[in-house]
């Protein structure tokens, strides 16, 4: 299963924010620079993550973002469910498939998707941040 760029960027933003101390803010421009991704994309991602309760945003000259909850409370599986619009591996209706009424392939892929999500449910952002020193170094974040 391939995740969308939106989910990919969501995970990256949470990793970056999770590498900072609780009271330290991250700026979108610094995140864009570290990952070499578009600011326009990132603004949309940050907005959605704030709406979902993962990020706290502070406006103004000295503003920025930070995690709105502890990294151990952020389930990777739940994040993927909330940021992926379509987790279905199969679309039997566009274009219409002749065998849709008799086919069991969709059920097989539904089961596989559920197993995929169950594995992701075992991990939190804290698990992803276990090698925080290496991550911070690669992203150019001072520890």
């Amino acid at each position: 299963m391939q995740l969308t760029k939106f989910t990919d960027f969501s995970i990256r933003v949470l990793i970056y924010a999770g590498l900072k101390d609780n009271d330290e803010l991250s700026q979108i421009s610094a995140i864009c620079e570290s990952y070499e991704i578009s600011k326009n994309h990132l603004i949309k991602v940050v907005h959605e993550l704030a709406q979902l309760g993962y990020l706290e945003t502070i406006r103004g000259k000295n503003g920025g973002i930070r995690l709105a909850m502890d990294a151990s409370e952020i389930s990777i599986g739940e994040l993927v469910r909330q940021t992926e619009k379509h987790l279905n591996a199969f679309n039997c209706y566009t274009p219409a498939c002749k065998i849709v009424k008799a086919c069991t392939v969709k059920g097989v892929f539904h089961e596989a998707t559920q197993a995929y999500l169950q594995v992701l449910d075992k991990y939190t952002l804290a698990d992803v941040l276990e090698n925080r020193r290496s991550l911070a170094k690669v992203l150019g974040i001072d520890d």
Side-chain angles (χ1 to χ4, degrees), residues 42-55:
L42 218 57
I43 289 171
K44 293 174 189 173
V45 168
V46 166
H47 177 74
E48 181 73 16
L49 291 173
Q51 293 289 316
L52 292 170
Y54 292 109
L55 291 176

Side-chain angles (χ1 to χ4, degrees), residues 48-49 66 74 128 140:
E48 181 73 16
L49 291 173
R66 64 178 157 225
I74 299 175
V128 175

Side-chain angles (χ1 to χ4, degrees), residues 7 14 17-18 20-21 40 47 49 51 53 57 63 78 83 88 100-101 104 113-114 117 125 127 129 138:
T7 298
L14 293 177
K20 299 284 190 159
D21 292 330
N40 290 335
H47 177 74
L49 291 173
Q51 293 289 316
T57 59
E78 188 60 30
T83 56
N88 300 333
V100 71
K101 290 182 181 178
T104 60
T113 300
Q114 295 309 306
L117 291 169
L125 181 62
D127 296 319
L129 294 173
V138 171

Side-chain angles (χ1 to χ4, degrees), residues 20-66:
K20 299 284 190 159
D21 292 330
N22 291 344
D23 58 340
E24 192 177 355
L25 297 175
S26 300
Q27 281 66 43
I28 292 175
S29 58
I31 299 170
C32 291
E33 187 177 312
S34 290
Y35 287 118
E36 299 178 359
I37 55 180
S38 161
K39 187 174 182 177
N40 290 335
H41 282 95
L42 218 57
I43 289 171
K44 293 174 189 173
V45 168
V46 166
H47 177 74
E48 181 73 16
L49 291 173
Q51 293 289 316
L52 292 170
Y54 292 109
L55 291 176
E56 179 183 356
T57 59
I58 289 63
R59 300 185 120 188
K61 182 180 177 187
N62 296 317
I65 64 167
R66 64 178 157 225

